[in-house]
Amino acid sequence: MSGLMAVFWKELADHFNSKRFIILSLLIYLAGIATIYVAAQTIRTGITETTEFIFLRLFIVSGETLPFSFPFFLSLFIPIVGIALGFDAINSERTSGNLSRILSQPLYRDSVINGKFLAGLVTLAILVVSIMLLVAGMGLRMIGVPPTAEEILRLFAFIFVSIIYGAFWMSLAVLFSVFFNRIATSVLASMALWIFLFLFMSMIAGAIAGAVVPVDQNSSLELLAKNDEIYRTISRISPSTLYGETVQVLLMPELGNPSSTLMLISIYAGGMIPTPLPLGQSLLIIWPQLTSLIALTALCFAGSYIKFMREEIRST
């Protein structure tokens, strides 16, 4: 345990003194402040006396000058931070010869990878919590409407999901750092996979859904629902889709389905006006997406752990 904590504190200090982490943190803070400022300027549009969850609307509203919401920026920057924290976790120590010197010290081998992963996770959690506190404080001061108890609980759930989402990308980057000897290869593999899943997975899912169940303006509701179901099933291969659906349900309590298309079809077919769901029901809706993100994170870390523990390490 003492070896684990020694690696943990050393890695934590390295992360917070790293220039790349400081630059990425500043970018995220600036993006978060800009989105909340624009949202606070436009949030009054569409609010009536019966509007509920006004404070949560601050996190999903966007404006004409900046047509992206705060969760969109988080979904864009969190993977980059996760990859930056993990892409050289092991191979940089291996190529510099430090790994054999570290393992010659009286500590268990798994303390190295566990301590590095734990330090990265704590760094990521501190970054996400601090930006959320900053944004929530700014929003509270600008709109003057305090959050309700349920809104606070939903924001805590939002923070937890964001940390898990970042932990997946960090565990994936650590996995590549264990399997690839060159730092450039591990960072390129991590970024290439992120770009593919973030940008191209939805297009591929849409093309496959359109080929299996073609739809147009005159298609029936049944065909539209089937097309959307195929699209959602394929696009959920991407962790970005899982994160997006989870955040959508948490910050928009009136959504009873992660799919906006199926939600509109149910409203149109049933003739019902959507009402906000209790937090418990929202958590039940996002439970499959949340467990999938946790499972993917555990799978990537388990792969890097097994490979690292079985690796032959020689002194150079």
Side-chain angles (χ1 to χ4, degrees):
M1 191 66 181
S2 60
L4 170 66
M5 295 312 296
V7 175
F8 167 76
W9 289 115
K10 191 262 182 188
E11 289 296 318
L12 196 64
D14 287 347
H15 287 320
F16 280 101
N17 291 323
S18 166
K19 290 182 180 177
R20 69 181 176 217
F21 177 75
I22 295 172
I23 292 172
L24 284 174
S25 300
L26 289 176
L27 281 176
I28 295 177
Y29 286 135
L30 290 175
I33 291 171
T35 53
I36 290 301
Y37 179 78
V38 172
Q41 301 300 315
T42 58
I43 194 173
R44 292 176 177 82
T45 305
I47 289 184
T48 63
E49 295 180 353
T50 59
T51 302
E52 298 181 73
F53 299 104
I54 295 176
F55 194 78
L56 280 184
R57 288 175 62 87
L58 193 65
F59 291 85
I60 57 175
V61 170
S62 58
E64 294 181 357
T65 55
L66 192 63
F68 303 110
S69 62
F70 177 66
F72 176 81
F73 275 106
L74 277 188
S75 69
L76 186 67
F77 282 111
I78 284 180
I80 298 175
V81 174
I83 291 171
L85 291 174
F87 74 90
D88 61 348
I90 300 298
N91 51 14
S92 64
E93 305 284 1
R94 187 189 297 141
T95 53
S96 64
N98 287 333
L99 191 56
S100 58
R101 286 193 286 270
I102 292 173
L103 294 178
S104 65
Q105 303 299 317
L107 78 168
Y108 294 108
R109 180 183 285 204
D110 61 347
S111 298
V112 176
I113 192 167
N114 289 339
K116 284 177 174 288
F117 185 81
L118 187 61
L121 187 63
V122 171
T123 305
L124 186 67
I126 291 174
L127 177 63
V128 172
V129 171
S130 62
I131 184 65
M132 288 293 294
L133 290 177
L134 176 65
V135 166
M138 276 189 60
L140 179 62
R141 183 175 178 82
M142 294 180 77
I143 65 174
V145 179
T148 63
E150 181 167 343
E151 285 177 315
I152 293 174
L153 291 176
R154 286 180 178 273
L155 288 178
F156 274 122
F158 176 35
I159 292 173
F160 176 74
V161 173
S162 299
I163 294 173
I164 295 296
Y165 180 56
F168 163 74
W169 289 105
M170 188 181 67
S171 63
L172 183 72
V174 171
L175 179 69
F176 287 147
S177 78
V178 173
F179 275 88
F180 298 123
N181 290 325
R182 294 174 62 87
I183 297 174
T185 307
S186 62
V187 67
L188 284 176
S190 303
M191 294 300 294
L193 189 59
W194 171 64
I195 291 172
F196 173 76
L197 293 175
F198 188 80
L199 296 179
F200 298 109
M201 198 64 217
S202 59
M203 288 189 279
I204 294 173
I208 295 175
V212 175
V213 183
V215 293
D216 54 26
Q217 295 179 348
N218 300 319
S219 298
S220 64
L221 293 179
E222 183 180 358
L223 282 178
L224 289 173
K226 194 171 182 178
N227 177 280
D228 187 75
E229 184 180 356
I230 296 172
Y231 168 77
R232 288 283 164 187
T233 302
I234 298 172
S235 62
R236 280 171 185 155
I237 295 173
S238 169
S240 302
T241 302
L242 298 174
Y243 176 71
E245 290 183 349
T246 305
V247 171
Q248 196 176 21
V249 172
L250 283 175
L251 299 184
M252 300 175 70
E254 63 275 9
L255 282 184
N257 195 308
S259 168
S260 55
T261 302
L262 293 180
M263 188 73 188
L264 290 173
I265 290 174
S266 62
I267 293 171
Y268 179 79
M272 296 180 296
I273 300 175
T275 56
L277 297 176
L279 177 60
Q281 291 190 21
S282 294
L283 292 177
L284 285 177
I285 293 172
I286 65 170
W287 187 247
Q289 287 85 348
L290 182 58
T291 53
S292 298
L293 281 175
I294 294 174
L296 288 171
T297 305
L299 195 64
C300 289
F301 181 71
S304 57
Y305 182 90
I306 293 171
K307 176 70 171 63
F308 180 72
M309 293 300 288
R310 294 184 174 181
E311 184 177 358
E312 182 181 359
I313 299 173
R314 298 178 179 177
S315 59
T316 57

